[in-house]
């Protein structure tokens, strides 16, 4: 969607909009390569409409999804496996705003960031039992150990 700005966040009149099926999660580079042409076509349409003097149509319905919150940083096995699976993938596409970058999990006493997960068993993956079934942590990265000197360094 391309829309005019107004006083509220993401509420201005829509100038051009297209649908893009998300499908199954994929690596960001592959996703952006597929989405890119749709974005360019929509932007060109929006610019043509604005140049022609159109002011867009008011937004109706829909809901606003906020940025990630502190509740989205750590893998919480009380949530559903599917919800956590989608959350792990969403973190690959979105920078953190006002929180640390997730999805973090404690695996064998080590904090890792989940880079890929699966709802079906994958050889070598770590199983996490969630509220409704298992989630498989396929690819993770170990977070660096905190620097003890930094913790005691004076804040500036």
């Amino acid at each position: 969607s391309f829309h005019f700005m107004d006083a509220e966040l993401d509420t201005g009149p829509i100038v051009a909009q297209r649908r893009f099926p998300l499908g199954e999660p994929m690596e960001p580079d592959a996703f952006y390569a597929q989405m890119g042409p749709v974005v360019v076509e929509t932007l060109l349409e929006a610019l043509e409409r604005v140049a022609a003097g159109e002011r867009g149509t008011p937004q109706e319905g829909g809901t606003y999804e906020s940025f990630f919150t502190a509740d989205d940083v750590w893998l919480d096995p009380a949530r559903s496996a599917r919800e956590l699976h989608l959350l792990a993938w969403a973190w690959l596409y979105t920078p953190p705003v006002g929180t640390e970058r997730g999805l973090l999990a404690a695996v064998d006493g080590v904090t890792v960031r989940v880079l890929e997960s699966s709802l079906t068993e994958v050889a070598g993956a770590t199983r996490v039992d969630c509220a409704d079934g298992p989630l498989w942590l396929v690819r993770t990265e170990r977070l660096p150990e905190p620097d003890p000197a930094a913790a005691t360094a004076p804040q500036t």
Side-chain angles (χ1 to χ4, degrees):
S1 296
F2 287 91
H3 63 86
F4 285 101
M5 293 178 65
D6 61 8
E8 301 295 319
L9 179 63
D10 198 16
T11 59
I14 295 173
V15 181
Q17 187 175 57
R18 291 227 167 74
R19 290 186 180 272
F20 179 78
L22 295 178
E24 288 301 308
M26 65 180 77
E27 293 296 324
D29 288 346
F31 175 76
Y32 293 134
Q34 288 182 12
M35 186 180 72
V38 176
V39 172
V40 170
E41 290 170 13
T42 311
L43 174 60
L44 292 174
E45 179 184 335
L47 293 173
E48 289 173 2
R49 288 179 174 182
V50 169
E54 291 186 34
R55 298 300 303 159
T57 56
Q59 294 190 39
E60 295 179 9
T63 59
Y64 179 75
E65 289 294 327
S66 68
F67 292 103
F68 293 116
T69 67
D71 291 338
D72 300 318
V73 173
W74 284 89
L75 186 150
D76 178 0
R79 294 167 87 168
S80 76
R82 175 119 179 110
E83 181 182 7
L84 291 169
H85 175 62
L86 294 175
L87 186 59
W89 281 100
W91 270 111
L92 293 180
Y93 298 96
T94 308
V97 175
T99 188
E100 50 188 328
R101 187 175 186 278
L103 182 67
L104 305 180
V107 176
D108 297 327
V110 175
T111 301
V112 298
R113 180 173 292 113
V114 179
L115 301 175
E116 182 180 350
S117 62
S118 175
L119 296 171
T120 58
E121 186 172 359
V122 174
T126 300
R127 179 186 172 125
V128 175
D129 290 314
C130 299
D132 62 347
L135 175 69
W136 300 91
L137 307 184
V138 177
R139 192 166 43 102
T140 62
E141 68 180 0
R142 185 179 183 151
L143 295 188
E145 295 294 325
D147 181 359
T152 59
Q155 301 296 315
T156 56

